Amino acid sequence: MIFENTFQKFLEVKELFKSLIGDGQKIGEIFKILEKPQREIKVYLPLKKENGEIDIFEGYRIQHNNFLGPYKGGIRYFQEVNEDEIKTLAFLMTIKCALVGLPLGGAKGGIRVDPKALSEKELENLSREYVRKIYDFIGPEKDIPAPDVNTNSKIIDWMVDEYLKISNSNDKKLKATFTGKSIENDGLEGREEATGKGGEIILERFIQKLNLQKPLRVAIQGFGNVGYNLAKFLYQKGYKIIALSDSKGGIYSEEGFNPELVMECKKEKGMISGCYCIGSVCDSNLGNDISNEEILELDVDILALAALENVIHKYNADKIKAKIILEMANNPITEEADEILNKKGVIIIPDVLANSGGVIVSYFEMLQNLNNEKWNKTKVFEELEKYLTKTFDEVWEIKEKLNIDLRKAAFILSLKRIYEKYIS
Ligand code: NAD
């Protein structure tokens, strides 16, 4: 169901794209091909638990399209992972990689598991079993997985280790099979912060175009890798972070939080609630707790969605008061909600653009491994900025020229690149 709805958003630009390019037959073919993934891998993963029992977990790797290059996309661990969701996210990866001009296709993977319910050793064993099951389908020229929700460099390092063991090879280039590795394991400096940094670069470009003046008031749903780093970079650029939330709830203060201190406090307490850290102090009198529903409905300049998909839907879209929404999560707004928000005049900076920093920097990590180089963070962020500003400006130009929203403009640019490759 999610896939059909997401694809529907994409289908909306079909006629427009045809009118721009004129090659109706080829464009029809492309849409038909993109409607189905090229390969869906479903695996069952037995795990012997520490209590001696065996549990079987479902895992997926869905390879959507590789017209532009090897498949690329994250792996998520989540108790609600399912085929439809992974297929949708794989499709969005195809669109995203094409949009930003990477020589990569789209894929996504996941395991249906609550990682918090496993011990570290169990999680490691499960991650290794997943690699054993998908081994034949991945590699630097086939498919390059990365971290996503509830997966991190530690998990990716286990996966790399398992992959190298099975390969029985010491070829360092094989490490390019995975991105998001730890720095000690030939990962890339800045990869962990890249998606948040990318969101900041895109937002800065956007507010320049609209000539908006800071301080702008921002609320961010999700305080994991993406939400935290976005908050940190926006704070450094003079935005006022007035609300933050994670799965257990959120915090609010008009004074504006210092995200780095909030993260330190969250690490100590295990939750964000009560972490009212402003300037250089955390004080229980400086803020209020709010729920995850309330954070979405705050009257802010910018609402950044950095948790999960479908958090804005037809039942809450009308209550959204933000003027701008930055989609850092993939697919956080349903198709129906997208329509309602567009009618209300809310400007949406779409996921495929806003969160593409992660995959761009993943690509740099691949290059670093394949060319046996060592990039530093300054170079990583400079190169990232080049990719993102170029892409943003191209999307903006299409939006202005055709008088369409940013999502449609991004789809048009992405399609243009897929079409050019398809006919070449
Ligand atoms: P993460 O696991 O590090 O963090 C997820 C955050 O969302 C956590 O703070 C969690 O507490 C919070 N959360 C979970 N359920 C929630 C709920 N119901 N309400 C509010 N918060 C909730 O994951 P991440 O890597 O930060 O990814 C976040 C989103 O960004 C995902 O949609 C992911 O697909 C997308 N994304 C991630 C990357 C990347 O590089 N990590 C790249 C592109 C897109």
Side-chain angles (χ1 to χ4, degrees):
M1 192 61 187
I2 313 171
F3 181 80
E4 269 83 49
N5 290 341
T6 305
F7 200 77
Q8 190 56 41
K9 283 191 210 173
F10 182 61
L11 266 178
E12 281 174 24
V13 300
K14 185 175 173 184
E15 291 311 314
L16 179 58
F17 190 60
K18 268 190 195 168
S19 70
L20 294 173
I21 303 284
D23 189 353
Q25 191 191 332
K26 286 276 188 300
I27 292 165
E29 287 168 16
I30 290 173
F31 272 84
K32 235 182 197 168
I33 292 168
L34 294 181
E35 200 167 357
K36 300 275 180 234
Q38 292 173 328
R39 185 183 283 130
E40 293 193 14
I41 303 158
K42 182 174 183 183
V43 292
Y44 291 96
L45 310 166
L47 174 73
K48 186 142 191 176
K49 306 273 286 292
E50 278 165 10
N51 63 10
E53 282 174 21
I54 289 220
D55 272 359
I56 310 282
F57 294 89
E58 262 174 43
Y60 298 91
R61 185 71 186 167
I62 299 192
Q63 298 173 328
H64 178 262
N65 190 277
N66 64 356
F67 283 175
L68 291 167
Y71 304 105
K72 181 92 192 83
I75 298 169
R76 65 171 51 181
Y77 287 180
F78 195 59
Q79 57 274 25
E80 281 158 36
V81 156
N82 61 72
E83 196 175 327
D84 189 37
E85 176 198 35
I86 299 294
K87 188 163 86 170
T88 310
L89 296 169
F91 162 70
L92 287 174
M93 285 306 296
T94 300
I95 301 300
K96 194 184 303 178
C97 291
L99 171 69
V100 295
L102 296 177
L104 294 169
K108 199 83 181 184
I111 303 179
R112 193 177 170 86
V113 58
D114 175 5
K116 292 178 189 131
L118 298 184
S119 70
E120 186 166 312
K121 194 67 203 160
E122 289 168 340
L123 199 59
E124 177 177 346
N125 290 341
L126 184 68
S127 306
R128 289 180 181 275
E129 179 65 12
Y130 179 70
V131 172
R132 289 194 284 274
K133 290 276 162 61
I134 63 164
Y135 175 83
D136 287 339
F137 303 98
I138 59 174
E141 280 153 25
K142 295 185 199 168
D143 182 355
I144 304 107
D148 190 67
V149 175
N150 289 330
T151 48
N152 52 26
S153 59
K154 193 188 226 175
I155 292 176
I156 294 293
D157 285 352
W158 293 328
M159 292 187 171
V160 172
D161 186 59
E162 192 62 30
Y163 186 85
L164 293 178
K165 257 192 213 159
I166 306 170
S167 306
N168 200 17
S169 162
N170 280 331
D171 186 354
K172 253 183 123 182
K173 289 184 181 160
L174 282 183
K175 287 196 172 173
T177 302
F178 292 86
T179 59
K181 301 176 288 290
S182 65
I183 303 295
E184 308 77 62
N185 194 24
D186 294 302
L188 185 72
E189 279 188 38
R191 167 62 188 93
E192 206 157 309
E193 297 159 286
T195 309
K197 179 71 188 169
E200 174 241 290
I201 294 170
I202 291 288
L203 190 60
E204 282 282 280
R205 200 77 186 159
F206 174 82
I207 70 159
Q208 265 175 31
K209 294 274 183 204
L210 290 193
N211 207 11
L212 299 176
Q213 299 307 315
K214 290 180 198 161
L216 293 162
R217 294 162 59 256
V218 183
I220 303 179
Q221 188 197 44
F223 200 57
N225 174 313
V226 176
Y228 164 64
N229 282 301
L230 176 75
K232 182 181 77 180
F233 289 120
L234 292 184
Y235 179 73
Q236 286 167 5
K237 288 272 169 170
Y239 293 78
K240 221 174 194 189
I241 313 298
I242 65 153
L244 290 165
S245 76
D246 65 13
S247 58
K248 294 183 186 143
I251 52 174
Y252 167 77
S253 167
E254 277 302 327
E255 294 297 313
F257 295 113
N258 175 343
E260 288 183 74
L261 285 190
V262 174
M263 181 51 98
E264 276 174 32
C265 168
K266 178 183 156 153
K267 277 186 183 154
E268 265 169 40
K269 290 176 52 160
M271 61 176 118
I272 205 171
S273 171
C275 290
Y276 312 131
C277 305
I278 291 165
S280 57
V281 287
C282 301
D283 182 326
S284 59
N285 294 318
L286 291 178
N288 292 299
D289 280 357
I290 55 166
S291 71
N292 260 310
E293 288 72 42
E294 287 166 335
I295 197 169
L296 296 175
E297 295 165 18
L298 285 174
D299 188 355
V300 284
D301 297 304
I302 298 148
L303 171 64
L305 304 172
L308 293 170
E309 42 278 334
N310 299 328
V311 293
I312 302 187
H313 39 72
K314 65 178 173 186
Y315 302 109
N316 63 2
D318 246 344
K319 298 182 196 150
I320 304 299
K321 296 179 207 75
K323 295 164 193 71
I324 298 157
I325 298 181
L326 185 69
E327 290 188 329
M328 297 304 295
N330 290 304
N331 227 10
I333 300 176
T334 67
E335 195 215 346
E336 289 142 322
D338 200 55
E339 219 177 295
I340 298 170
L341 293 170
N342 275 323
K343 275 194 191 134
K344 274 169 65 131
V346 178
I347 305 178
I348 301 168
I349 307 179
D351 47 9
V352 284
L353 182 62
N355 72 26
S356 60
V359 73
I360 296 171
V361 170
S362 274
Y363 174 61
F364 299 160
E365 184 175 332
M366 281 174 69
L367 291 182
Q368 173 186 260
N369 296 151
L370 293 172
N371 302 330
N372 203 12
E373 296 169 349
K374 196 84 201 147
W375 293 31
N376 63 30
K377 208 200 275 192
T378 310
K379 174 170 168 168
V380 170
F381 285 176
E382 273 172 15
E383 291 299 312
L384 174 65
E385 187 148 7
K386 281 187 207 157
Y387 265 89
L388 284 175
T389 45
K390 183 172 178 291
T391 306
F392 183 87
D393 289 353
E394 286 178 274
V395 171
W396 190 264
E397 200 185 318
I398 295 171
K399 167 205 158 348
E400 294 282 281
K401 209 159 140 190
L402 302 177
N403 194 22
I404 53 179
D405 61 57
L406 282 167
R407 191 188 312 281
K408 289 198 176 90
F411 283 163
I412 293 278
L413 180 57
S414 177
L415 263 170
K416 186 168 160 277
R417 302 207 209 279
I418 294 172
Y419 170 78
E420 279 161 5
K421 185 77 187 186
Y422 186 69
I423 59 160
S424 68

